[in-house]
Amino acid sequence: MKDRIEIPDHNSLFKSEPYVKQREGKKAFEAPCSEQETMEALAYSKSSEYKDKNFARQSLVVNPHKACQPLGALMAALGFEKTLPFIHGSQGCTAYFRSHLSRHFKEPAPAVSSSMTEDGAVFGGMSNLIDGLENSVALYKPEMVAVSTTCMAEVIGDDLQAFISNARLKGAISEDLPVPYANTPSFSGSHITGYDSMLKSIISTLYNRSGIQAAPGSGETTGEKLNLILGFEPYTGNFAEVRKILAAFDTEYTFLGDHSGNFDSPATGEYSYYYGGTKLTDVPKAANALGTLSLQKYSVKKTMEYINGTWKQQTISMSTPIGITATDRLIEAISELTGLPIPDELVDERGRVVDALTDSHPYLHGKRVALVGDPDLLIGLIQFCLETGMEPVHIICSNGDNGFKEEAEALLAASPYGAEATVYIGNDLWHMRSLLIDNPVDLAVGSSHLKYAAKDAGVPLIRVGFPVFDRHHLHRYPIIGYQGALNLLTTIVNTILQNLDEDSSGFNHDLVR
Amino acid sequence: MGLDIEANKKIIEEMLEAYPEKARKDREKHFEINNEELINCGKCSIKSNMKSRPGVMTQRGCAYAGSKGVVWGPIKDMVHISHGPVGCGQYSWGTRRNYANGTLGIDNFTAMQVTSDFQETDIVFGGDKKLEVICREIKEMFPLAKGISIQSECPVGLIGDDIEAVSKKMSAELGIPIIPVRCEGFRGVSQSLGHHIANDAIRDFLMGKRELAECGPYDINIIGDYNIGGDAWASRILLEEMGLRVIAQWSGDGTINELAIAHKAKLNLIHCHRSMNYMVTTMEKEYGIPWMEYNFFGPTKTAESLRAIAALFDEHIQENCENVIAKYTPQMDAIISKFKPRLEGKKVMLLVGGLRARHTLGAYEDLGMEVVATGYEFAHKDDYEKTFPELPEGTIIYDDPTAYELEELAQKLDIDLMGSGVKEKYVYHKMGIPFRQMHSWDYSGPYHGYDGFKIFAKDMDMTINSPVWNLIKPGKTELLHKEEAGV
């Protein structure tokens, strides 16, 4: 444009001289620490003495890598057709969950709250729940309302089952409307626990209401379908990848929970509250499927127990299948559960991605990495590192349990590339900061929340997992399947190459790499 | 469409028919259409600061969000504990963009999530013992922290913890102020009570506690500017250029010292009246410090405010004020002459917090834009009384509107721009309605002052006039090409 006016943004504006002067001048009123004190404290925070104290913390949690249960419940609810997530308790929680998911997916995250206040704390939240159901059904016309709880409702001990029954008795909602509910206290587990509880509740509620008796493998009314669970899945692209793989097998399937519609809806000029999702009528039929394959293990434990116990199906649970080996296992599992042969096109695709890995391996080999994420993501990432010659060094899982730790350690112990790794559960990103500074790595892999520690340690960050707030559209690209391996490989190798350029001495600013 | 009183009344009536009776009767009270009488006296009957109806998809947050997220969180040299389960602190970590200078984790603790991460045992046995340990560990981990605030989450108030006693004990032990804040999320009806509770804690624990080495005749405070995207800096620069001395910034890029010396100022300037009016009235009562509201959105309001501030000082300041305005006027004229033709007559709808729904009106007007509907998440009656006189007849004013209401209105009023928060943003993108987040400045800003207005104007233009909106409906692109070709 010809009439361009220079308009400095916040990056350049505050570097300009008047603002630098202002910043210095303001210190007169701040009673700030002296520059020397700050420098010393910074140096101290990078010492091994500090690291030891950091790891000796008993109660203080700084920059944890986990969220709370109802966030996961909201995501689980949005995996079903025309389902409105309803969070019973204080209303601020719902505002936070919706914002958090919108910041990651760059998509709307519809959900309502029963908006409890002080009187709810005293008298319980029944009238809030009943009014809330009536209002939300009138306004947002859901075909199912999935109720979860905030810690307020949990602490005062609201009885969801009784409240929902009363809502039906009072005529606030009809008998036809399924209202699965899950207790999702924020003071135990994490977002993945809440996902699991809500998913299990939705599946069991719809199954129980249907009157269908599970006849596993009968294929009755189902075609001979396979059930798939992706769990607390931050990548809409992963759903697309699984669809692609299943299409190659030419098998029928049902996703038990598919929020890819709601979190990747088209801009058409109109907004609907509900996009895609598992059809409610498909859920009870899923009881007769050939089997259920879950691509997260630690995130959907209770759900898989239910499917095993009540539907008595063949089940296979695996952690996020990242990389070639894990994808091979995914493909084998589908073949095993459906009895179908592995399609040639997947074998071809595998070959092409392995080819890409052979091209890039010199840049990956021996690269030391730090990993942060949910347990299933970490298992996947560890496998990917080990099969490509990268060496995991620091692994932090704020919401991992002992089972996860043992599995991760066994994986690492089985590979020479895992020799340097330590797995930490229940630790946070302030611990990671110490680890990155004390024992440096080449790459940090994790969510946007890792950007602070990565910056302090001067390590490039590969954004993988949840939440990714500060980069766009990564969630649209799969990280699972052969395609996902290629996507991750491309991001990682090009980050390494970018760093080679940036760190070059001029003469080795090489044209060909 | 837009400013027809009768037509707008009908739109609202029809819209509210979707509600069950009880909720409809409540929601009716939260709408009012501006008319001559309201403009003249501002005595509106719109209901505000009342409970949201359950299940309607309110945009509101909670008292914790008002205290930790808004008022206390920006104080950079203190560690703010999100006391309770992990979620609240996680969701409010680094998302508000209250910028602060300093080294994160060393002498600046703003974009951090410090939490007691309550577990079931803490609920059963109480969290007081744990809180003591946490205070000690903060002192160990962050030796330069000048204080600690304890931001209570819902369970703290329900299980009967005595955070006041812990604070007192640990403050004595550690030798730094430790401030308990009872901002449990279930208190009140919105963020608003959280602001009040946070203000009261500042009053009780820090206000008036320290001395200023040298006082001057031009000492003022900036109150209620959270430095979103650097807003307070873009404001402070004008006040300083005018010859005033800003001795405290509450609370964006603020420090514990600034909270404690502010009572030495000669004048309090308050930007976000809703969230910090309690402090300026308290300082007026206790220290006799006069206060005034000002508005640094858009050059018209900025100049008006600068002159009104200068009028409270001597001729020297008044002369400086004119010089400042004269210095920036050509820059502002250039911005307006560039962007106004591109934005003239564009219809805007707003739903923001407790201030910006009226304070940003002037900035839109400077660009020739019309606000056809506006309102607040958590304003009180006095905010509405100040809003009606600022707007033309027929403008729709709403209080705590639901997602459903906003979407209906946006479509019926055929607006060109929606300004609200991240929960709304992507809904409007689907609808093909240009949208700006007006809490976080949509990752841009500052928007305050003259430097801020330049960015504001550029942002509104790129949002409304982006060619991407033409891609939403197939076929619309052809029209665009014809227009460009002058057909």
Side-chain angles (χ1 to χ4, degrees), chain B residues 319-486:
Chain B
E319 201 185 309
N320 287 349
C321 169
E322 290 308 321
N323 290 340
V324 170
I325 293 169
K327 173 183 154 189
Y328 287 100
T329 300
Q331 296 179 26
M332 293 298 104
D333 290 348
I335 291 285
I336 288 170
S337 68
K338 173 169 178 170
F339 292 110
K340 192 168 177 178
R342 302 169 60 81
L343 296 168
E344 187 106 54
K346 297 291 184 191
K347 288 190 282 186
V348 184
M349 212 173 123
L350 298 171
L351 183 263
V352 218
L355 172 86
R356 290 165 175 174
R358 72 169 176 279
H359 246 38
T360 56
L361 296 173
Y364 287 111
E365 284 164 9
D366 284 337
L367 294 167
M369 300 164 79
E370 284 172 49
V371 175
V372 294
T374 189
Y376 306 93
E377 263 178 70
F378 49 75
H380 296 201
K381 195 171 181 62
D382 56 334
D383 299 302
Y384 286 98
E385 287 173 355
K386 289 172 193 162
T387 308
F388 285 89
E390 297 282 327
L391 287 159
E393 274 194 292
T395 315
I396 298 175
I397 318 276
Y398 34 67
D399 173 71
D400 182 27
T402 66
Y404 157 77
E405 290 166 6
L406 286 179
E407 288 148 26
E408 286 286 305
L409 282 177
Q411 284 172 323
K412 295 265 164 62
L413 299 175
D414 193 23
I415 56 166
D416 301 295
L417 176 71
M418 178 76 184
S420 195
V422 72
K423 305 192 291 297
E424 294 75 49
K425 180 178 174 77
Y426 302 103
V427 169
Y428 292 83
H429 284 188
K430 305 289 168 201
M431 295 200 286
I433 297 175
F435 189 100
R436 288 299 294 176
Q437 290 182 65
M438 294 303 282
H439 301 267
S440 67
W441 301 150
D442 228 315
Y443 322 119
S444 174
Y447 281 177
H448 286 180
Y450 292 120
D451 284 335
F453 180 70
K454 297 176 193 170
I455 300 173
F456 176 86
K458 183 195 77 176
D459 285 355
M460 296 309 137
D461 174 48
M462 76 174 178
T463 303
I464 291 180
N465 293 314
S466 166
V468 297
W469 305 112
N470 297 313
L471 303 172
I472 285 179
K473 292 258 184 227
K476 230 181 160 181
T477 43
E478 269 172 52
L479 276 174
L480 174 79
H481 291 144
K482 279 182 196 162
E483 273 170 29
E484 275 179 352

Side-chain angles (χ1 to χ4, degrees), chain A residues 76-156:
Chain A
L78 289 177
F80 291 83
E81 187 189 23
K82 293 195 173 138
T83 298
L84 183 66
F86 185 116
I87 297 132
H88 179 52
S90 303
Q91 71 192 6
C93 314
T94 305
Y96 276 143
F97 309 143
R98 295 179 64 208
S99 306
H100 205 70
L101 291 167
S102 284
R103 287 181 178 121
H104 173 80
F105 288 109
K106 316 293 179 206
E107 294 285 332
V112 298
S113 166
S114 61
S115 297
M116 283 169 70
T117 54
E118 282 105 328
D119 49 356
V122 179
F123 302 112
M126 185 162 83
S127 63
N128 289 69
L129 189 94
I130 294 174
D131 287 353
L133 285 171
E134 188 183 12
N135 290 336
S136 58
V137 169
L139 288 182
Y140 301 109
K141 302 178 178 56
E143 287 181 8
M144 177 162 81
V145 178
V147 181
S148 54
T149 49
T150 75
C151 48
M152 177 200 189
E154 287 298 319
V155 172
I156 65 174

Side-chain angles (χ1 to χ4, degrees), chain A residues 167-495:
Chain A
R168 292 192 199 280
L169 285 174
K170 283 195 149 190
I173 47 169
S174 79
E175 287 295 337
D176 300 336
L177 182 79
V179 185
Y181 66 90
N183 292 95
T184 48
S186 311
F187 45 80
S188 75
S190 69
H191 53 285
I192 59 176
T193 326
Y195 182 92
D196 192 16
S197 298
M198 194 74 247
L199 180 65
K200 182 194 157 193
S201 171
I202 291 171
I203 291 174
S204 60
T205 303
L206 292 175
Y207 174 69
N208 291 339
R209 285 171 65 93
S210 73
I212 289 177
Q213 281 301 311
S218 71
E220 218 167 284
T221 72
T222 64
E224 294 200 334
K225 280 187 180 177
L226 179 65
N227 302 325
L228 279 118
I229 293 177
L230 263 62
F232 188 95
E233 176 55 82
Y235 289 84
T236 54
N238 283 355
F239 285 94
E241 183 62 18
V242 172
R243 283 196 176 88
K244 187 189 90 185
I245 291 169
L246 293 166
F249 270 98
D250 197 20
T251 179
E252 298 281 308
Y253 59 89
T254 304
F255 279 115
L256 294 175
D258 170 9
H259 48 263
S260 66
N262 275 314
F263 288 129
D264 192 9
S265 63
T268 60
E270 278 167 33
Y271 172 63
S272 150
Y273 285 90
Y274 312 106
Y275 296 89
T278 303
K279 287 195 179 349
L280 305 189
T281 49
D282 281 351
V283 174
K285 290 181 198 164
N288 295 339
L290 296 169
T292 298
L293 171 59
S294 178
L295 306 194
Q296 286 184 359
K297 192 162 67 179
Y298 296 98
S299 305
V300 288
K301 281 182 180 170
K302 277 182 277 188
T303 304
M304 291 308 276
E305 267 170 38
Y306 172 83
I307 290 172
N308 268 318
T310 308
W311 291 356
K312 304 208 169 7
Q313 274 180 13
Q314 297 185 74
T315 56
I316 297 177
S317 278
M318 58 175 66
S319 288
T320 315
I322 298 174
I324 302 297
T325 318
T327 303
D328 289 350
R329 217 170 298 136
L330 166 68
I331 305 293
E332 282 156 21
I334 296 170
S335 174
E336 194 184 316
L337 289 170
T338 58
L340 295 166
I342 293 170
D344 289 345
E345 60 188 280
L346 293 179
V347 178
D348 279 356
E349 189 190 14
R350 181 187 194 281
R352 285 194 299 271
V353 177
V354 171
D355 183 63
L357 279 165
T358 62
D359 299 341
S360 304
H361 83 271
Y363 294 101
L364 305 186
H365 196 96
K367 286 287 178 297
R368 292 157 53 81
V369 297
L371 306 172
V372 165
D374 285 342
D376 288 305
L377 178 74
L378 285 175
I379 295 288
L381 289 173
I382 291 169
Q383 287 175 321
F384 182 66
C385 288
L386 298 179
E387 74 180 12
T388 55
M390 292 192 285
E391 298 177 15
V393 179
H394 314 301
I395 300 163
I396 283 190
C397 189
S398 295
N399 54 349
D401 58 13
N402 284 320
F404 157 77
K405 189 167 190 265
E406 280 163 26
E407 183 184 357
E409 283 171 347
L411 262 175
L412 292 157
S415 162
Y417 301 101
E420 283 210 47
T422 311
V423 181
Y424 302 89
I425 55 171
N427 291 71
D428 55 44
L429 300 180
W430 198 251
H431 292 121
M432 183 54 104
R433 179 184 183 275
S434 281
L435 292 172
L436 292 176
I437 291 166
D438 185 67
N439 186 6
V441 295
D442 299 300
L443 291 171
V445 181
S447 77
S448 295
H449 281 140
L450 188 54
K451 79 186 285 184
Y452 302 106
K455 183 167 188 266
D456 283 359
V459 183
L461 173 62
I462 305 279
R463 286 164 178 80
V464 176
F466 179 86
V468 174
F469 287 161
D470 62 340
R471 293 293 183 272
H472 282 204
H473 311 307
L474 293 179
H475 66 277
R476 298 177 200 269
Y477 295 88
I479 60 163
I480 64 172
Y482 300 123
Q483 180 63 44
L486 182 61
N487 291 346
L488 264 185
L489 166 69
T490 307
T491 310
I492 292 172
V493 76
N494 287 333
T495 303

Side-chain angles (χ1 to χ4, degrees), chain A residues 1 3-10 13-14 18-19 22-23 25-26 29-33 37-38 41-42 44-45 50 53-54 56-68 71 84 86 90-100 102-103 106-119 121 127-128 131-132 134-136 138-140 151-152 155-156 186-189 264-271 273 275 429-430 433 449 452 456 469, chain B residues 18-20 22-23 51-58 60-62 64-65 76 85-88 90-93 95 97 99 101 103-107 111-115 117-120 123 130 133-134 137-138 140-142 144 146 154-155 158-159 185-190 212 229-230 233-234 236-237 240 245-247 249 253 255 257-258 261 334-335 338-339 342 402-404 407 422-423 426-427 429-431 443-446 451 454-455 458 472-473:
Chain A
M1 286 185 205
D3 59 340
R4 184 173 288 280
I5 304 176
E6 274 311 308
I7 300 177
D9 65 5
H10 52 76
L13 180 67
F14 297 123
Y19 283 99
Q22 179 194 77
R23 182 170 75 214
K26 182 175 179 291
F29 311 101
E30 292 181 340
C33 306
E37 271 180 302
T38 306
L42 181 62
Y44 170 60
S45 79
Y50 187 88
K53 277 195 178 160
N54 195 6
R57 272 189 276 141
Q58 295 296 309
S59 299
L60 173 66
V61 175
V62 183
N63 298 351
H65 199 273
K66 61 174 180 178
C68 68
L71 180 86
L84 183 66
F86 185 116
S90 303
Q91 71 192 6
C93 314
T94 305
Y96 276 143
F97 309 143
R98 295 179 64 208
S99 306
H100 205 70
S102 284
R103 287 181 178 121
K106 316 293 179 206
E107 294 285 332
V112 298
S113 166
S114 61
S115 297
M116 283 169 70
T117 54
E118 282 105 328
D119 49 356
S127 63
N128 289 69
D131 287 353
E134 188 183 12
N135 290 336
S136 58
L139 288 182
Y140 301 109
C151 48
M152 177 200 189
V155 172
I156 65 174
S186 311
F187 45 80
S188 75
D264 192 9
S265 63
T268 60
E270 278 167 33
Y271 172 63
Y273 285 90
Y275 296 89
L429 300 180
W430 198 251
R433 179 184 183 275
H449 281 140
Y452 302 106
D456 283 359
F469 287 161
Chain B
Y19 284 90
K22 191 166 144 194
K51 278 188 223 173
S52 305
R53 300 309 311 156
V56 296
M57 215 180 293
T58 172
R60 281 176 169 176
C62 63
Y64 164 89
K76 62 182 176 183
V86 70
C88 316
Q90 203 70 8
Y91 309 124
S92 56
W93 172 13
T95 52
R97 306 190 64 243
Y99 285 171
N101 284 312
T103 308
L104 200 63
I106 305 302
D107 59 2
M112 297 180 73
Q113 137 73 327
V114 175
T115 177
D117 188 13
F118 263 27
Q119 300 300 305
E120 201 127 24
I123 301 291
K130 188 176 198 176
V133 178
I134 286 171
E137 290 181 346
I138 284 173
E140 284 242 303
M141 286 292 99
F142 308 112
L144 298 189
K146 303 272 181 62
C154 287
L158 298 169
I159 60 177
F186 60 80
R187 295 192 195 279
V189 302
S190 67
L212 179 64
W233 296 331
R236 184 182 185 110
I237 207 149
E240 289 185 340
R245 193 169 84 135
V246 180
I247 66 163
Q249 220 169 272
D253 191 36
T255 55
N257 196 60
E258 288 165 84
I261 61 171
I335 291 285
K338 173 169 178 170
F339 292 110
R342 302 169 60 81
T402 66
Y404 157 77
E407 288 148 26
V422 72
K423 305 192 291 297
Y426 302 103
V427 169
H429 284 188
K430 305 289 168 201
M431 295 200 286
Y443 322 119
S444 174
D451 284 335
K454 297 176 193 170
I455 300 173
K458 183 195 77 176
I472 285 179
K473 292 258 184 227

